[in-house]
Amino acid sequence: MTVNENLAFDALSDRVRRRILAALGDGGELTAGQLAERVGVVSRSTVSSHLRILRTSGAVIERREGRHRYYSVDTEGSVRDAFRFLQGLLQDGVRLDSGAAAQADSPDEFHHDTG
């Protein structure tokens, strides 16, 4: 795994951070206050702490406009790398499952019924 993939998986290991990312995925660009309302299980200051971790890991980007900070998923960041890693695992798994299914469906060349 790459450094970016490790950063993403570390960031995604927390349930609240996953909920923040899901809210950003649904809502686009949001402030910490808006995220706290959507996540609902933690305070705004806790959301801000989680956003700091997500920003540091490369999962989220921040845009400042005046006194406001807006957050969004970094589609070019570490989450993309983690997604590609998982996508590769799933594709390999599908190929392996398909191969196993094909073997189970094909006649066994080495099995001879002597009965």
Side-chain angles (χ1 to χ4, degrees), residues 1-2 17-18 22 38 56 61 72 84-85 88 93-94 102 112:
M1 264 201 285
T2 68
R17 290 193 289 267
R18 289 191 305 270
R38 289 183 184 222
T56 302
I61 54 175
S72 59
R84 286 183 176 162
F85 173 80
V94 168
H112 298 285

Side-chain angles (χ1 to χ4, degrees), residues 34-84:
Q34 291 169 324
L35 284 165
E37 288 175 17
R38 289 183 184 222
V39 170
V41 294
V42 294
S43 68
R44 185 195 175 288
S45 62
T46 302
V47 166
S48 292
S49 295
H50 284 292
L51 283 167
R52 198 172 312 113
I53 293 166
L54 289 167
R55 239 182 25 253
T56 302
S57 72
V60 166
I61 54 175
E62 174 188 81
R63 180 180 66 83
R64 293 180 186 204
E65 187 176 296
R67 294 180 29 222
H68 300 285
R69 295 176 184 193
Y70 295 91
Y71 300 91
S72 59
V73 174
D74 185 352
T75 57
E76 298 299 316
S78 62
V79 172
R80 182 196 62 183
D81 295 334
F83 175 76
R84 286 183 176 162

